[in-house]
Amino acid sequence: MATQDIIARSATTTHSPSIRQIDEVAKLIDVSKCIGCKACQVACSEWNDLRDEVGHNHGTYESPADLSADSWTLMRFAEHEDEAGKLEWLIRKDGCMHCAEPGCLTACPSPGAIVQYANGIVDFNQDHCIGCGYCITGCPFDVPRISKKDNKAYKCSLCSDRVGVGQEPACVKTCPTGAIVFGSKEDMKDHAAERIVDLKSRGYENAGLYDPPGVGGTHVMYVLHHADKPALYSGLPADPSIDPMVHVWKGVAKPLGLLAMGATALIGFFHYLRVGRNVVEEDEPGAVGDAAVHKVDPAVHEFDPKAPR
Amino acid sequence: MKHDIQRYTAGERSNHWAVAILFVLAGLSGLALFHPALFWLSHLFGGGPWTRILHPFIGIAMFLFFIWLVMRFMSHNMIHKRDVQWLKQAGDVMANREGNMPEVGRYNGGQKLLFWVLLVCMLLLLVTGIVIWREYFSHLFGIELIRLSVLLHALAALVLIVSIIVHIYAGIWVKGSVGAMLTGWVSKGWARKHHSLWYKEVEKGENKH
């Protein structure tokens, strides 16, 4: 939709059109308010016209069993017993976190297949996707999925089409308990701060905001009652960041690699220029014993009667 | 160049150039996915998705032909003491001062080193390439292994490409070498100058090829 507010574009080494300044947005998911009704999953499926295959019961409340190219968000249910033996049902809406420093975009080799808008949304442009799966390799949250049908990568778009026309994402609109709210990133942080005060007053001393700095912060944030242990929430990473190996691969390796290849070829050229060919002297034309020059057939006469004297 | 001694049979030459052609295709399609500045190379293969589809198959074919080549040439590429000495004096060769070089058999120390470097790179590329082959195999491996593999795949490819640039340059620089791999024949002078031990063996009739 808007193409003048692209602040990052995959496999692109120059600036993208980014003249338009827009405030950063964020979706805030208050885990403590979530009742696990999955209305957000249905809304996502409805708005984006996605129909995942009906799967099997895996013995948990999670359905489907995992994110897929057709399921961009998923409620993950974890049963946690604390030290006192109190059971807690920790339900987390999983999906793309829309990182400020997106690993998927860093890893993508196809120009423009992944873009990041000034408002913080990281969007996949499947038209440019080549299906290599590098985005999966780069993502610290294990979110993108390649479709079996068309070999393109898919994930939550934060309803960029809705947000672009001033609407909130479909999951936010449908959430019956107000566990998912949407607005400017600053407002969402303020809102989260109020929620955290409330949770602390109710005995959740470690309540806090999940906005991991390792990926520059995210545009999907969580309010967690146990912010000190994010892993309790179905393995939410405590300190996610782009993996160092991905950083090297998509960072220094690229220019240094090309430099090494180019330099080797250039060294060869200048070696040829300065040192000269490595030749077998006796095979050179004009060398002593060269048959082509010295063993002239006696039948051949060089005398040309027409030549001027 | 006189056709005095046959250095490569038609089978060996065909095998070598099959690997060479596949190397160029695998290299160009791989570089297209490696650096944005080279993404345009994907057009040579019919676009991004086709490049992604073809690259691993080209790579597998290159590996298989390369292994065939290895089986043909491995016995000639065992590294001996004189090869280590040759490598220590490689700077003299580069300066066209070959007077004090140790005698060279069918291959010199540099060629033998290249042989083993290529083999290690090819093995690494095959193994890591399968791990990162998203369509068929990546689901079998953990994310940390996949991340290590993309990095090693790029590194092995870099070493391979740089080695092949050196290989191609050596062929252009040492006159008679490209002809040897194209026609199969070399002159006596070439054999004596570059591979004196091999020349003696051939003269004695112990090793025709």
Side-chain angles (χ1 to χ4, degrees), chain B residues 70-114:
Chain B
V70 165
M71 292 191 297
R72 291 171 186 272
F73 294 148
M74 182 136 86
S75 62
H76 302 303
N77 280 282
M78 295 301 164
I79 293 180
H80 303 294
K81 242 184 197 158
R82 63 170 187 268
D83 300 317
V84 178
Q85 186 56 39
W86 189 97
L87 285 169
K88 283 183 187 160
Q89 291 175 241
D92 289 343
V93 179
M94 295 297 290
N96 272 347
R97 287 193 309 265
E98 292 175 337
N100 289 324
M101 295 304 289
E103 286 209 291
V104 172
R106 188 179 163 120
Y107 293 108
N108 65 40
Q111 292 172 301
K112 291 182 181 183
L113 180 64
L114 178 87

Side-chain angles (χ1 to χ4, degrees), chain A residues 11-13 109-111 128-134 136-141 146 150-152 241 243-246 248-250 253-258 260-262 264-265 267-273 275-284 289, chain B residues 1-2 4 31-39 47-53 93-96 98 132-135 143-151 153-154 157-158 161-163 165-166 169 172-176 187-194:
Chain A
T12 304
T13 45
S110 181
H128 293 280
C129 175
I130 65 169
C132 63
Y134 286 0
I136 303 171
T137 307
C139 177
F141 293 97
I146 303 263
D150 59 12
N151 266 303
K152 306 290 178 196
S241 64
D243 191 275
M245 289 185 285
V246 175
V248 173
W249 170 48
K250 287 291 166 178
K254 288 198 295 186
L256 287 185
L258 288 199
M261 294 176 214
T264 309
I267 289 170
F269 176 76
F270 282 102
H271 179 262
Y272 199 90
L273 195 79
V275 178
R277 310 175 308 149
N278 184 327
V279 294
V280 181
E281 298 292 348
E282 63 197 74
D283 290 348
E284 288 295 286
Chain B
M1 179 66 58
K2 280 171 285 186
D4 295 332
L31 285 170
L33 303 182
F34 177 65
H35 196 294
L38 300 176
F39 190 75
W50 269 115
T51 304
R52 181 264 305 167
I53 292 166
V93 179
M94 295 297 290
N96 272 347
E98 292 175 337
I132 64 177
W133 198 346
R134 180 59 62 180
E135 194 165 0
I143 188 72
E144 284 302 312
L145 184 63
I146 293 174
R147 286 169 183 160
L148 179 66
S149 297
V150 288
L151 187 57
H153 197 80
L158 173 64
I161 292 170
V162 167
S163 303
I165 291 174
V166 172
Y169 176 68
I172 294 171
W173 175 51
V174 179
K175 294 303 165 193
S187 71
K188 282 187 179 180
W190 188 94
R192 211 181 295 125
K193 175 170 161 71
H194 298 300

